[in-house]
Every structure is written in C-alpha cells, then in structure tokens.
Amino acid sequence: MHFVQTISDLAARPQNIEILHNAGVMSLLRPLLLDMVPGVQHTAALALGRLADSSNSLAEAVVKENILPDVVQSVTSHNRFQKKAAAFVLRAVSKHSPELSQAVVDCGGVDALVQCLMEFDPGVKEAAAWSLGCIARHNATLSQTVVNAGAVPLLVLCLLEPEMALKRIAASTLSDICKHTPELAHAVVDAGAIPHLAQLILSRDTKLKRQVFSALSQIAKHSADLSEMVAEVGVFPAAMTCLKDPDEYVRKNVTTLMREMVKQTAELSQLVVNCGGLGAVIDYLNDCSGSLRLPGIMMLGYVASHSESLAMAVILSKGVSQLAVCLSEESEDHIKAATVWSIGQIGQHTPDHAKAVATANLLPKILKLYTDASSSEDLQAKSKKVLKSILQKCTHLPALEPLLYDAPSKILKHVMCQFSKVLPHDSKARRLFVTSGGLKKVQEIQAEPGSVLQEHINAINSCFPEEIVRYHSPGYSEVLLERLENYQPT
C-alpha cells in the first residue's frame, strides 16, 4: 500500500514521469491492479492513469505492457473507487489518439464503461461518460462503436441526474458523438436528447451551458431536418438571453448554434431574425474580438445569402458597418476571409445592396486585401470573387471611382463596365465624372487594343464631347502649349 501510494504521489508531478517510466514502474504496478486489497488496486490504477495521462508514449506503454485487459477487468469490480480509477486509466490512454482508443475498444473497454453508466454512484457514471467522450471524439468509427454499445440512452438519462458535473460530462460526450456524421446525430436525437438539452439552456451553471450549446450546434449543423428539430423545442428565443452571458464561450457557442441553423434554410434564418437574432449577434460582435467573432461574422453572411429581404434585414440592423469594424480590427487572415465572404453575401443581390457595401468604403479595403502579397491564397481568392460580384451590381459611381486608381486590370474591367453602363443615362454622373478627375484617369489607363477593357474605355469616352475627352487626355496641355508657341497674333 505504501509503495503504490508513493508511486501515485510521484506520478502527480510531471518532472517525475520519465524517471518512473525508466525505472520500469509499469510492470511493477500491473500485478497490483489485481491485488486482494481494494485500496491497493485503486491506488495502483490511479498511478497508472497519471502516468498514461502525461504523454502519448506512456499511454502506448500501457498498451504494449498488455495492462489494458486488467484495467477493463477492474472496471467491472464491485468497488466504486476502483471503477472510477480504472475508468480514469481508460480515459488517460484513449484521449491521445484514435489508435490508442481502438486499443481500449479491442479490450472490451467500451462495453465495460457502458455498464458503469448503469451504476447508482454518480461519480462512477461521470468517470465512465468522460472516458466514452474521449473515445468518441476522435472519429466516426469510434463514435459508432460507442453508440452500438448502447451508451446514448444512458447518457441522455445522465442529463436528468441532479449532479451538475455528471450533466456537464454527459452533454459533452453527446456533443463528441454527434459531431461526426448525420447518422450519429440522428442516433442522439432518436434517444430524445434535444428536449433534455433544451431544458438546460437556462441553467445557472456556466460550464453546463457551454456543453449544452455545443451539443445542440453539433446536432443542428448536419441538416435542415435536424436544425428544425432543435428549433421545434423552443430553443429560440430562450437562447438569445445567453448572448448576454458573462462567459465568452457560452456566448460563442450560442452564436455557433445560430450560425449552424441559419445556414440551412431561409425559413430557419427568418425564425432567428424574427427572434431578434441579428441585433443580438451584431451587439455580440461589438463586444468581442479574435476567433470569438468568427461564428457571428459567418452567421450574418449565411442569413444574407438566402434572399434579398434577409440581406436587407442585415443591412438595416447595421450589419455592414459592424463587419467593416471587424475587417479593420482583425489581423488573422481566416477571420478576414470570413468577413469578406459575409460582405459579399450581403452585396451580391441588387444595386441597393451593393450600394450599402460601397458607401461603407469597403470596396477599397477588399481590393487592398486582394492585391496585398502577404494575404493568404484563400483571402485573395475570396476578395477577388466578392469584388466581382458586388461590382457587377454596383451603380453608385462615387464609390467606384477610387478603384480607378488602384485596381489591377482583372478588377478594373468590372469597374469600367459599370461606368460604361451608368454614364450614358445620367447627365449628373457624367458632369461629376469630369469634375472629380475620373475622365482624366480613364484616359491614362493603358489597355491593349481590342481588349474588353479598351471597349469599356471607348464606351465611356463616347458619352462625352470629343473636345472634352481630348482636353483630359495625357499630353494635351503640351499640345496646347506648342500651339501657343507657334501662334502668331494678328
């Protein structure tokens, strides 16, 4: 007893782990797992768990030493302390990799852990649920093994237990199971998980709310049908209150749930909008930064993508100006790329939508991201696509004019195309185009003869009297000076 207690205490300190392993402590602990004295068994399992928990190589050593079958046998013992310690060992091994989790499965570990979920003691259930979550989170195959062993209905029952720690772990494990495939999500839904998760939304426990919203998000993300099942239990508008929660991860997970639902259909988007979802998410974006903003940014884009009216709802909720703030404040390319994509979803519908984006001075910013060599490939590709889609709708010429000076030819031809469409029918715009220097800039553009860009230049020039075009052409002042020099007064 004194030996295993000392090893267990030493294993609790990271600096001792390698020394213990090199001293061959694994092979010394193994027979003690089956000792006649329950306290020795329990403490030996605790020491092994701490060793395996510390590193991938030590977890592999537990498998190579063929210790797992003895651990699984301990899980089936009658001593609750022994069950918890043995479940801890299985968790410590399986958390590192799919291969180590598979080793636990092959030893009958999953069936033994599912048996523990039927125990009366909540601590045993918690330890078993946690271990099953570590196995399920790696991939769909391992999750399916957990489902096939009958874990899901028992995990759903754990949500009804009074112990808060057990509720948290059960919700977390259900989230880990259903994240992989629609079939696994359906297995969780068919066990009646959604109503029980929904009832926990307004719990006062922060960590529980994080896990509940994570689980609902992992269910909703797979399909419109699953999202509708989540919506039908009245998650909204109750979830909106959690967007004001003091915990940033609760707020993030609520926003993630909204994103996963609105991306499915226009009807689900409308439901969230009607509950005040747009204003709540825009306020959320204003109060956070970095990766916490990502689900909110994408949620606005998904809402806007479905229809003109939903995109206009985003505009009227001041969504464009908030996305402009995100674009200027964020430094990471993947967040900028998501922001640019969302702006594109808003501006792609009609000239009015494009004008809302253009008047927020976003086109030059997106152009800069496209031309910046330090931007990631994804950011450049999204910026180019968004510029093209918005420019093809934008008829608000004052916002397009700055692009004449900076845009590369691939973008410039789309800018010129819009000028060539609008100028023939708008005398005020033609006058402004001359006085602002736009016409002068057009004359300076070097285009290949016969190219699309040259055709647009010709179309723009044909909107103005020939002498005005000549007056704004490069070198015309020198021509006038030369005529002045050669001019003989009468």
Side-chain angles (χ1 to χ4, degrees):
M1 187 69 194
H2 183 63
F3 171 75
V4 286
Q5 188 63 59
T6 306
I7 296 295
S8 180
D9 292 344
L10 286 169
R13 300 186 192 94
Q15 64 268 30
N16 296 333
I17 298 293
E18 200 61 42
I19 301 163
L20 289 169
H21 180 47
N22 293 338
V25 84
M26 291 277 188
S27 54
L28 296 173
L29 287 171
R30 183 187 172 187
L32 298 174
L33 284 172
L34 305 175
D35 195 89
M36 295 296 288
V37 180
V40 173
Q41 289 183 20
H42 163 244
T43 314
L46 193 61
L48 272 171
R50 285 173 176 170
L51 289 165
D53 192 51
S54 65
S55 76
N56 189 67
S57 58
L58 285 169
E60 286 175 356
V62 171
V63 175
K64 284 173 188 166
E65 297 265 356
N66 205 27
I67 296 172
L68 280 181
D70 295 340
V71 176
V72 171
Q73 192 177 332
S74 298
V75 175
T76 59
S77 76
H78 297 295
N79 183 308
R80 63 195 176 101
F81 297 107
Q82 179 60 9
K83 285 178 186 286
K84 280 197 279 188
F88 168 51
V89 178
L90 296 181
R91 183 181 96 225
V93 171
S94 59
K95 77 171 193 176
H96 292 290
S97 71
E99 293 75 25
L100 287 167
S101 288
Q102 190 60 53
V104 172
V105 171
D106 295 341
C107 291
V110 169
D111 292 324
L113 289 167
V114 171
Q115 289 299 312
C116 287
L117 290 177
M118 301 179 196
E119 289 284 324
F120 178 75
D121 184 83
V124 173
K125 289 183 189 176
E126 183 191 336
W130 198 347
S131 301
L132 289 168
C134 285
I135 294 168
R137 75 175 52 145
H138 291 296
N139 58 44
T141 307
L142 288 163
S143 272
Q144 192 64 57
T145 305
V146 172
V147 171
N148 294 346
V152 173
L154 297 168
L155 288 166
V156 173
L157 287 175
C158 290
L159 295 173
L160 306 178
E161 296 283 350
E163 287 78 17
M164 204 55 74
L166 180 54
K167 287 179 193 277
R168 287 182 207 140
I169 291 298
S172 171
T173 302
L174 289 170
S175 178
D176 284 329
I177 290 170
C178 61
K179 72 182 181 182
H180 300 290
T181 65
E183 292 74 25
L184 286 163
H186 271 290
V188 171
V189 171
D190 293 344
I194 292 178
H196 296 307
L197 288 167
Q199 285 175 351
L200 300 173
I201 282 175
L202 298 178
S203 163
R204 291 184 179 180
D205 186 82
T206 297
K207 290 178 181 176
L208 176 60
K209 283 190 284 189
R210 284 184 194 174
Q211 301 301 345
V212 166
F213 283 115
S214 171
L216 290 170
S217 303
Q218 298 293 6
I219 292 168
K221 76 178 184 181
H222 291 292
S223 69
D225 288 345
L226 287 165
S227 282
E228 282 164 11
M229 288 179 190
V230 173
E232 281 164 8
V233 296
V235 170
F236 296 107
M240 295 298 174
T241 57
C242 295
L243 274 175
K244 296 291 183 188
D245 195 274
D247 185 73
E248 59 185 23
Y249 290 103
V250 171
R251 300 198 300 272
K252 183 185 181 183
N253 290 357
V254 176
T255 315
T256 303
L257 172 61
M258 293 166 75
R259 178 192 71 191
E260 300 300 354
M261 290 180 69
V262 300
K263 79 178 183 185
Q264 304 293 347
T265 65
E267 291 74 25
L268 284 165
S269 286
Q270 194 65 59
L271 169 74
V272 172
V273 171
N274 292 348
C275 292
L278 287 178
V281 167
I282 288 163
D283 288 344
Y284 164 77
L285 288 174
N286 193 44
D287 296 336
C288 65
S289 62
S291 63
L292 295 171
R293 274 180 165 165
L294 197 55
I297 289 167
M298 294 180 73
M299 181 267 187
L300 296 179
Y302 281 126
V303 170
S305 69
H306 290 297
S307 70
E308 292 177 16
S309 59
L310 283 167
M312 191 51 72
V314 175
I315 292 168
L316 296 175
S317 302
K318 306 282 192 294
V320 174
S321 55
Q322 185 56 56
L323 288 170
V325 170
C326 294
L327 196 63
S328 60
E329 288 181 355
E330 295 303 329
S331 57
E332 293 189 51
D333 278 5
H334 71 281
I335 300 175
K336 287 181 182 177
T339 310
V340 167
W341 173 81
S342 289
I343 291 164
Q345 298 304 310
I346 296 166
Q348 68 182 349
H349 295 285
T350 69
D352 287 337
H353 293 81
K355 183 180 178 182
V357 172
T359 51
N361 198 33
L362 281 165
L363 295 179
K365 290 178 182 175
I366 297 172
L367 176 65
K368 190 176 179 185
L369 293 173
Y370 168 57
T371 55
D372 190 344
S374 64
S375 294
S376 68
E377 280 185 31
D378 181 52
L379 178 53
Q380 287 181 330
K382 282 190 170 66
S383 298
K384 182 182 178 182
K385 188 176 179 182
V386 165
L387 278 171
K388 286 168 72 172
S389 68
I390 294 176
L391 288 173
Q392 284 163 6
K393 296 289 182 185
C394 187
T395 55
H396 183 64
L397 299 189
L400 294 181
E401 217 165 287
L403 303 184
L404 288 172
Y405 297 89
D406 301 315
S409 59
K410 286 180 182 176
I411 301 297
L412 190 59
K413 66 183 179 186
H414 297 289
V415 178
M416 300 293 278
C417 179
Q418 294 309 104
F419 279 110
S420 67
K421 284 180 188 173
V422 176
L423 288 172
H425 313 291
D426 190 336
S427 59
K428 272 187 182 175
R430 290 198 295 272
R431 183 185 179 88
L432 191 63
F433 194 59
V434 172
T435 55
S436 66
L439 184 62
K440 183 173 186 291
K441 178 60 190 169
V442 168
Q443 307 316 310
E444 293 168 5
I445 293 169
Q446 302 290 323
E448 290 183 21
S451 65
V452 176
L453 184 56
Q454 186 61 56
E455 285 175 20
H456 292 323
I457 292 172
N458 294 342
I460 291 169
N461 287 344
S462 67
C463 299
F464 298 93
E466 193 179 327
E467 58 269 27
I468 290 181
V469 174
R470 209 180 306 134
Y471 176 75
H472 288 285
S473 298
Y476 187 66
S477 55
E478 284 82 5
V479 172
L480 286 178
L481 286 170
E482 196 177 309
R483 283 177 63 184
L484 179 63
E485 283 175 17
N486 298 333
Y487 181 69
Q488 294 294 327
T490 53

mmCIF file of all heavy atoms in Angstrom, residues 88-114:
data_model
loop_
_atom_site.group_PDB
_atom_site.id
_atom_site.type_symbol
_atom_site.label_atom_id
_atom_site.label_comp_id
_atom_site.label_asym_id
_atom_site.label_seq_id
_atom_site.Cartn_x
_atom_site.Cartn_y
_atom_site.Cartn_z
ATOM 1 N N PHE A 88 -10.587 6.102 -15.238
ATOM 2 C CA PHE A 88 -9.590 7.172 -15.437
ATOM 3 C C PHE A 88 -8.432 6.675 -16.292
ATOM 4 O O PHE A 88 -7.944 7.378 -17.174
ATOM 5 C CB PHE A 88 -9.109 7.678 -14.069
ATOM 6 C CG PHE A 88 -7.888 8.563 -14.114
ATOM 7 C CD1 PHE A 88 -7.836 9.664 -14.971
ATOM 8 C CD2 PHE A 88 -6.790 8.302 -13.309
ATOM 9 C CE1 PHE A 88 -6.709 10.484 -15.012
ATOM 10 C CE2 PHE A 88 -5.658 9.113 -13.339
ATOM 11 C CZ PHE A 88 -5.620 10.215 -14.204
ATOM 12 N N VAL A 89 -7.989 5.428 -16.050
ATOM 13 C CA VAL A 89 -6.892 4.866 -16.867
ATOM 14 C C VAL A 89 -7.330 4.774 -18.332
ATOM 15 O O VAL A 89 -6.577 5.156 -19.243
ATOM 16 C CB VAL A 89 -6.466 3.471 -16.347
ATOM 17 C CG1 VAL A 89 -5.370 2.892 -17.252
ATOM 18 C CG2 VAL A 89 -5.968 3.553 -14.922
ATOM 19 N N LEU A 90 -8.529 4.279 -18.580
ATOM 20 C CA LEU A 90 -9.028 4.135 -19.962
ATOM 21 C C LEU A 90 -9.134 5.505 -20.639
ATOM 22 O O LEU A 90 -8.827 5.650 -21.819
ATOM 23 C CB LEU A 90 -10.385 3.426 -19.969
ATOM 24 C CG LEU A 90 -10.384 1.971 -19.458
ATOM 25 C CD1 LEU A 90 -11.777 1.367 -19.530
ATOM 26 C CD2 LEU A 90 -9.397 1.110 -20.249
ATOM 27 N N ARG A 91 -9.560 6.492 -19.868
ATOM 28 C CA ARG A 91 -9.630 7.856 -20.426
ATOM 29 C C ARG A 91 -8.240 8.396 -20.742
ATOM 30 O O ARG A 91 -8.002 8.983 -21.804
ATOM 31 C CB ARG A 91 -10.322 8.785 -19.423
ATOM 32 C CG ARG A 91 -10.494 10.202 -19.943
ATOM 33 C CD ARG A 91 -11.150 11.098 -18.916
ATOM 34 N NE ARG A 91 -10.180 11.843 -18.143
ATOM 35 C CZ ARG A 91 -10.205 12.010 -16.830
ATOM 36 N NH1 ARG A 91 -11.143 11.429 -16.103
ATOM 37 N NH2 ARG A 91 -9.287 12.716 -16.216
ATOM 38 N N ALA A 92 -7.308 8.168 -19.821
ATOM 39 C CA ALA A 92 -5.936 8.678 -19.984
ATOM 40 C C ALA A 92 -5.264 8.063 -21.207
ATOM 41 O O ALA A 92 -4.472 8.724 -21.886
ATOM 42 C CB ALA A 92 -5.126 8.392 -18.730
ATOM 43 N N VAL A 93 -5.580 6.807 -21.497
ATOM 44 C CA VAL A 93 -5.000 6.136 -22.676
ATOM 45 C C VAL A 93 -5.681 6.618 -23.952
ATOM 46 O O VAL A 93 -5.033 6.993 -24.924
ATOM 47 C CB VAL A 93 -5.123 4.591 -22.536
ATOM 48 C CG1 VAL A 93 -4.727 3.905 -23.840
ATOM 49 C CG2 VAL A 93 -4.254 4.094 -21.394
ATOM 50 N N SER A 94 -7.010 6.626 -23.943
ATOM 51 C CA SER A 94 -7.761 6.867 -25.190
ATOM 52 C C SER A 94 -7.734 8.317 -25.652
ATOM 53 O O SER A 94 -7.943 8.587 -26.836
ATOM 54 C CB SER A 94 -9.214 6.409 -25.030
ATOM 55 O OG SER A 94 -9.838 7.101 -23.973
ATOM 56 N N LYS A 95 -7.449 9.248 -24.767
ATOM 57 C CA LYS A 95 -7.516 10.662 -25.162
ATOM 58 C C LYS A 95 -6.432 11.047 -26.176
ATOM 59 O O LYS A 95 -6.584 12.007 -26.918
ATOM 60 C CB LYS A 95 -7.412 11.573 -23.937
ATOM 61 C CG LYS A 95 -6.001 11.722 -23.379
ATOM 62 C CD LYS A 95 -5.943 12.800 -22.314
ATOM 63 C CE LYS A 95 -4.505 13.163 -21.988
ATOM 64 N NZ LYS A 95 -4.383 14.249 -21.036
ATOM 65 N N HIS A 96 -5.350 10.269 -26.250
ATOM 66 C CA HIS A 96 -4.188 10.692 -27.032
ATOM 67 C C HIS A 96 -4.363 10.520 -28.542
ATOM 68 O O HIS A 96 -3.915 11.360 -29.316
ATOM 69 C CB HIS A 96 -2.934 9.939 -26.574
ATOM 70 C CG HIS A 96 -2.484 10.313 -25.202
ATOM 71 N ND1 HIS A 96 -1.928 11.536 -24.906
ATOM 72 C CD2 HIS A 96 -2.526 9.629 -24.023
ATOM 73 C CE1 HIS A 96 -1.634 11.587 -23.607
ATOM 74 N NE2 HIS A 96 -1.989 10.443 -23.055
ATOM 75 N N SER A 97 -4.983 9.421 -28.977
ATOM 76 C CA SER A 97 -5.062 9.172 -30.426
ATOM 77 C C SER A 97 -6.149 8.155 -30.751
ATOM 78 O O SER A 97 -6.558 7.371 -29.880
ATOM 79 C CB SER A 97 -3.718 8.655 -30.948
ATOM 80 O OG SER A 97 -3.506 7.329 -30.475
ATOM 81 N N PRO A 98 -6.611 8.122 -32.014
ATOM 82 C CA PRO A 98 -7.597 7.111 -32.428
ATOM 83 C C PRO A 98 -7.062 5.683 -32.250
ATOM 84 O O PRO A 98 -7.827 4.772 -31.893
ATOM 85 C CB PRO A 98 -7.830 7.418 -33.910
ATOM 86 C CG PRO A 98 -7.416 8.835 -34.090
ATOM 87 C CD PRO A 98 -6.320 9.069 -33.104
ATOM 88 N N GLU A 99 -5.762 5.495 -32.496
ATOM 89 C CA GLU A 99 -5.176 4.149 -32.385
ATOM 90 C C GLU A 99 -5.244 3.632 -30.937
ATOM 91 O O GLU A 99 -5.582 2.474 -30.699
ATOM 92 C CB GLU A 99 -3.716 4.161 -32.862
ATOM 93 C CG GLU A 99 -3.530 4.436 -34.344
ATOM 94 C CD GLU A 99 -3.736 5.916 -34.721
ATOM 95 O OE1 GLU A 99 -3.551 6.789 -33.839
ATOM 96 O OE2 GLU A 99 -4.092 6.169 -35.886
ATOM 97 N N LEU A 100 -4.908 4.504 -29.989
ATOM 98 C CA LEU A 100 -4.970 4.104 -28.576
ATOM 99 C C LEU A 100 -6.417 3.880 -28.138
ATOM 100 O O LEU A 100 -6.707 2.973 -27.341
ATOM 101 C CB LEU A 100 -4.283 5.160 -27.704
ATOM 102 C CG LEU A 100 -2.750 5.185 -27.808
ATOM 103 C CD1 LEU A 100 -2.177 6.439 -27.181
ATOM 104 C CD2 LEU A 100 -2.142 3.936 -27.150
ATOM 105 N N SER A 101 -7.338 4.702 -28.662
ATOM 106 C CA SER A 101 -8.759 4.486 -28.362
ATOM 107 C C SER A 101 -9.214 3.132 -28.896
ATOM 108 O O SER A 101 -9.987 2.421 -28.245
ATOM 109 C CB SER A 101 -9.607 5.596 -28.997
ATOM 110 O OG SER A 101 -9.435 6.810 -28.300
ATOM 111 N N GLN A 102 -8.735 2.784 -30.090
ATOM 112 C CA GLN A 102 -9.101 1.499 -30.679
ATOM 113 C C GLN A 102 -8.589 0.339 -29.823
ATOM 114 O O GLN A 102 -9.263 -0.692 -29.676
ATOM 115 C CB GLN A 102 -8.534 1.398 -32.113
ATOM 116 C CG GLN A 102 -9.045 0.201 -32.908
ATOM 117 C CD GLN A 102 -10.553 0.208 -33.078
ATOM 118 O OE1 GLN A 102 -11.136 1.190 -33.529
ATOM 119 N NE2 GLN A 102 -11.201 -0.900 -32.706
ATOM 120 N N ALA A 103 -7.412 0.535 -29.227
ATOM 121 C CA ALA A 103 -6.861 -0.490 -28.325
ATOM 122 C C ALA A 103 -7.784 -0.703 -27.128
ATOM 123 O O ALA A 103 -8.005 -1.840 -26.675
ATOM 124 C CB ALA A 103 -5.466 -0.082 -27.863
ATOM 125 N N VAL A 104 -8.343 0.396 -26.605
ATOM 126 C CA VAL A 104 -9.309 0.306 -25.490
ATOM 127 C C VAL A 104 -10.565 -0.442 -25.939
ATOM 128 O O VAL A 104 -11.094 -1.300 -25.222
ATOM 129 C CB VAL A 104 -9.660 1.722 -24.963
ATOM 130 C CG1 VAL A 104 -10.806 1.658 -23.954
ATOM 131 C CG2 VAL A 104 -8.445 2.384 -24.324
ATOM 132 N N VAL A 105 -11.041 -0.120 -27.158
ATOM 133 C CA VAL A 105 -12.227 -0.796 -27.715
ATOM 134 C C VAL A 105 -11.967 -2.301 -27.851
ATOM 135 O O VAL A 105 -12.796 -3.133 -27.462
ATOM 136 C CB VAL A 105 -12.604 -0.191 -29.093
ATOM 137 C CG1 VAL A 105 -13.692 -1.020 -29.774
ATOM 138 C CG2 VAL A 105 -13.067 1.259 -28.930
ATOM 139 N N ASP A 106 -10.799 -2.639 -28.385
ATOM 140 C CA ASP A 106 -10.461 -4.050 -28.652
ATOM 141 C C ASP A 106 -10.393 -4.888 -27.371
ATOM 142 O O ASP A 106 -10.574 -6.104 -27.422
ATOM 143 C CB ASP A 106 -9.122 -4.144 -29.400
ATOM 144 C CG ASP A 106 -9.209 -3.528 -30.790
ATOM 145 O OD1 ASP A 106 -10.339 -3.369 -31.294
ATOM 146 O OD2 ASP A 106 -8.144 -3.178 -31.364
ATOM 147 N N CYS A 107 -10.119 -4.223 -26.254
ATOM 148 C CA CYS A 107 -10.048 -4.948 -24.968
ATOM 149 C C CYS A 107 -11.410 -5.047 -24.279
ATOM 150 O O CYS A 107 -11.496 -5.486 -23.119
ATOM 151 C CB CYS A 107 -9.083 -4.255 -24.017
ATOM 152 S SG CYS A 107 -7.378 -4.373 -24.536
ATOM 153 N N GLY A 108 -12.455 -4.577 -24.961
ATOM 154 C CA GLY A 108 -13.785 -4.600 -24.342
ATOM 155 C C GLY A 108 -14.032 -3.425 -23.416
ATOM 156 O O GLY A 108 -14.953 -3.449 -22.587
ATOM 157 N N GLY A 109 -13.226 -2.382 -23.563
ATOM 158 C CA GLY A 109 -13.328 -1.216 -22.675
ATOM 159 C C GLY A 109 -14.644 -0.471 -22.798
ATOM 160 O O GLY A 109 -15.215 -0.042 -21.781
ATOM 161 N N VAL A 110 -15.178 -0.334 -24.027
ATOM 162 C CA VAL A 110 -16.405 0.442 -24.226
ATOM 163 C C VAL A 110 -17.592 -0.245 -23.547
ATOM 164 O O VAL A 110 -18.383 0.402 -22.842
ATOM 165 C CB VAL A 110 -16.678 0.657 -25.739
ATOM 166 C CG1 VAL A 110 -18.075 1.217 -25.959
ATOM 167 C CG2 VAL A 110 -15.639 1.607 -26.319
ATOM 168 N N ASP A 111 -17.721 -1.557 -23.722
ATOM 169 C CA ASP A 111 -18.834 -2.282 -23.076
ATOM 170 C C ASP A 111 -18.753 -2.175 -21.558
ATOM 171 O O ASP A 111 -19.776 -2.001 -20.880
ATOM 172 C CB ASP A 111 -18.801 -3.766 -23.493
ATOM 173 C CG ASP A 111 -19.142 -3.941 -24.973
ATOM 174 O OD1 ASP A 111 -20.001 -3.189 -25.458
ATOM 175 O OD2 ASP A 111 -18.536 -4.801 -25.631
ATOM 176 N N ALA A 112 -17.527 -2.261 -21.025
ATOM 177 C CA ALA A 112 -17.356 -2.150 -19.569
ATOM 178 C C ALA A 112 -17.749 -0.758 -19.079
ATOM 179 O O ALA A 112 -18.399 -0.610 -18.026
ATOM 180 C CB ALA A 112 -15.906 -2.461 -19.196
ATOM 181 N N LEU A 113 -17.389 0.271 -19.857
ATOM 182 C CA LEU A 113 -17.726 1.659 -19.474
ATOM 183 C C LEU A 113 -19.234 1.903 -19.550
ATOM 184 O O LEU A 113 -19.806 2.609 -18.705
ATOM 185 C CB LEU A 113 -16.980 2.653 -20.384
ATOM 186 C CG LEU A 113 -15.461 2.739 -20.163
ATOM 187 C CD1 LEU A 113 -14.789 3.481 -21.310
ATOM 188 C CD2 LEU A 113 -15.137 3.423 -18.827
ATOM 189 N N VAL A 114 -19.882 1.320 -20.570
ATOM 190 C CA VAL A 114 -21.343 1.473 -20.685
ATOM 191 C C VAL A 114 -22.034 0.822 -19.487
ATOM 192 O O VAL A 114 -23.029 1.353 -18.968
ATOM 193 C CB VAL A 114 -21.848 0.889 -22.031
ATOM 194 C CG1 VAL A 114 -23.372 0.830 -22.063
ATOM 195 C CG2 VAL A 114 -21.342 1.733 -23.199
#
